[in-house]
């Protein structure tokens, strides 16, 4: 195989971790390309020139690569269903290179089973692992198991720096909480109460949610224009007192806004605001799930911060495969921009295909 004649634009895009359109603009010197994207593409092109038979040798070796993906059960949470779509897309894109991706799912309400699942993953002898380590304490022994077997792993959604991963893909969650606070504070000219809701999650073992709340609180500690009380609630929809807790919160006449730390919880909070006719309470939440989009378009949700779970998983697998197949070093941290979606820009954003 002559790589100079047979390499496709999509192959360069895959190696560089950018879109086909970006590679096309670089090759034909047309349109705008960021410095970072230009560097990625030219680096891959240089690498191909330096090692012209790189892909040919890889394909000719008949080496198959097994990737294991550990994610929460996508059938019970639409956020993780989006993650699963990213895994499925990655599998389809890399199949021609002899890559298979096996998905292992766990119950977000059964932390004790997580380490057992990690053992199960190891028994399949994967070449690499991508995972969303939403359980902090339970993930630490899993990382140790992977390191003992010299299996590289990439994290997404939740970063645990001390785990020494090959790389992390996600967002700066402290800044995410700060953005939520800034959005909820826009146009607020009177003192009042803001609520932080953690719905259907064990926040005490979920550092990604704690980081969001920490950033939210830090923003108001630094911006004290008006006096605001911040209250936080850890709510379980299966708890018999769930309805009463939310109704008591909404009965507070000083309540100015609600910040929900999870995408699934966002629609739950929105449904209660709609039920009680509380359109004057600002609601900030996460992600472009169908239910959230419905409430955004109707004006119940004011702002959604998009975490792009599908692309997190897709890029995580891409980095891992590039490391295994082509010995490319993965970025130690790839942080997505904090995209704020409103009623006015949602259709143009969805129509752009960049989500």
């Amino acid at each position: 195989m002559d790589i100079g004649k047979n390499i496709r634009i999509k192959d360069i895009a895959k190696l560089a971790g950018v879109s086909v359109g970006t590679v096309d603009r670089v090759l034909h010197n047309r349109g705008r390309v960021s410095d970072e994207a230009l560097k990625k593409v030219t680096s891959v092109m240089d690498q191909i020139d330096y090692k012209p038979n790189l892909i040919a040798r890889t394909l000719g070796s008949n080496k198959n690569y097994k990737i294991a993906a550990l994610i929460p059960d996508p059938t019970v949470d639409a956020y993780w269903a989006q993650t699963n779509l990213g895994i499925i897309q990655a599998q389809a894109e890399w199949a021609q290179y002899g890559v298979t991706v096996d998905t292992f799912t766990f119950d977000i309400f059964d932390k004790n089973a997580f380490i057992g699942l990690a053992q199960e993953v190891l028994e399949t002898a994967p070449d690499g692992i991508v995972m969303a380590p939403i359980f902090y304490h339970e993930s630490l022994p899993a990382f140790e198991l992977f390191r003992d077997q010299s299996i590289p792993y990439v994290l997404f959604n939740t970063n645990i720096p001390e785990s020494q991963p090959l790389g992390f893909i996600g967002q700066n969650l402290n800044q995410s909480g700060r953005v939520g606070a800034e959005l909820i504070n826009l146009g607020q000219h009177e003192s009042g109460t803001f609520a932080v809701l953690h719905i259907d999650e064990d926040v005490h073992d979920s550092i990604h949610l704690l980081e969001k709340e920490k950033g939210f609180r830090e923003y108001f500690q630094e911006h004290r224009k008006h006096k605001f009380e911040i209250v936080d609630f850890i709510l379980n929809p299966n708890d018999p007192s769930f309805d009463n807790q939310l109704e008591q919160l909404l009965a507070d006449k000083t309540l100015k806004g609600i910040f929900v730390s999870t995408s699934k919880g966002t629609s739950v909070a929105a449904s209660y605001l709609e039920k009680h006719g509380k359109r004057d309470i600002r609601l900030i939440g996460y992600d472009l799930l169908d239910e959230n989009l419905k409430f955004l378009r109707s004006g119940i949700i004011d702002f959604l911060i998009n975490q792009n779970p599908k692309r997190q998983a897709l890029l995580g697998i891409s980095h891992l495969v590039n490391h295994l197949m082509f010995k490319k070093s993965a970025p130690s941290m790839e942080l997505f921009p904090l995209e704020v979606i409103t009623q006015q820009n949602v259709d143009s954003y969805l129509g752009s295909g960049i989500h």
Side-chain angles (χ1 to χ4, degrees), residues 232-274:
D232 64 272
F233 288 79
I234 302 171
L235 303 172
N236 181 354
N238 297 318
D239 189 323
S241 66
F242 178 76
D243 287 348
N244 287 336
Q245 291 181 72
L246 267 183
E247 288 175 5
Q248 287 177 16
L249 172 64
L250 297 184
D252 183 351
K253 295 186 184 301
T254 68
L255 183 64
K256 301 292 185 181
I258 297 174
F259 173 64
V260 186
S261 63
T262 62
S263 53
K264 184 178 179 181
T266 299
S267 61
V268 173
S271 67
Y272 271 80
L273 289 179
E274 182 179 59

Side-chain angles (χ1 to χ4, degrees), residues 14-241:
K14 190 183 299 295
L15 292 171
V18 300
S19 70
V20 170
T22 297
V23 176
D24 181 77
R25 288 192 292 274
V26 171
L27 291 175
H28 297 96
N29 192 27
R30 61 189 179 202
R32 295 180 60 184
V33 178
S34 70
D35 291 342
E36 181 181 0
L38 178 63
K39 184 178 179 181
K40 288 180 179 180
V41 174
T42 54
S43 175
V44 167
M45 292 168 65
D46 289 343
Q47 184 178 4
I48 290 172
D49 288 337
Y50 182 68
K51 298 179 179 179
N53 294 314
L54 179 62
I55 295 179
R57 284 202 302 270
T58 301
L59 295 178
S61 69
N62 293 319
K63 166 67 176 175
N64 293 320
Y65 293 90
K66 291 171 59 178
I67 305 297
L70 278 75
I71 63 170
D73 188 347
T75 65
V76 299
D77 191 324
Y79 177 85
W80 298 111
Q82 289 292 312
T83 297
N84 195 45
L85 289 177
I87 293 171
I88 292 170
Q89 182 177 335
Q91 166 71 82
E93 291 184 358
W94 287 105
Q96 63 178 317
Y97 296 101
V99 175
T100 58
V101 183
D102 296 318
T103 304
F104 297 80
T105 64
F106 55 89
D107 184 347
I108 61 173
F109 300 108
D110 188 1
K111 294 187 292 185
N112 295 328
F114 183 80
I115 191 64
L117 182 65
Q119 291 276 13
E120 183 182 332
V121 168
L122 287 179
E123 290 172 6
T124 68
D127 296 291
I129 297 168
V130 292
M131 63 182 292
I134 64 170
F135 301 138
Y136 174 75
H137 293 98
E138 288 71 21
S139 294
L140 296 180
F143 297 140
E144 189 173 346
L145 288 173
F146 302 155
R147 287 195 298 269
D148 287 346
Q149 297 293 322
S150 298
I151 299 174
Y153 51 92
V154 171
L155 308 184
F156 63 94
N157 185 78
T158 304
N159 190 20
I160 303 180
E162 63 267 34
S163 67
Q164 304 170 35
L166 184 66
F168 166 72
I169 298 164
Q171 292 180 329
N172 184 316
L173 298 179
N174 184 278
Q175 288 184 3
S176 179
R178 286 173 170 268
V179 169
E182 183 177 14
L183 293 171
I184 212 169
N185 194 40
L186 286 173
Q188 302 284 4
H189 302 300
E190 299 177 357
S191 299
T193 300
F194 291 136
V196 178
L197 301 189
H198 304 293
I199 297 177
D200 218 13
E201 296 278 353
D202 179 5
V203 67
H204 300 299
D205 201 28
S206 302
I207 60 173
H208 57 299
L209 304 184
L210 293 174
E211 273 299 301
K212 290 177 183 177
E213 180 174 347
K214 180 182 177 185
F216 187 91
R217 290 180 176 276
E218 285 176 351
Y219 174 88
F220 282 104
Q221 288 171 3
E222 298 166 9
H223 300 78
R224 294 177 176 269
K225 250 185 176 182
H226 306 286
K227 184 179 180 181
F228 288 106
E229 180 185 3
I230 300 174
V231 295
D232 64 272
F233 288 79
I234 302 171
L235 303 172
N236 181 354
N238 297 318
D239 189 323
S241 66

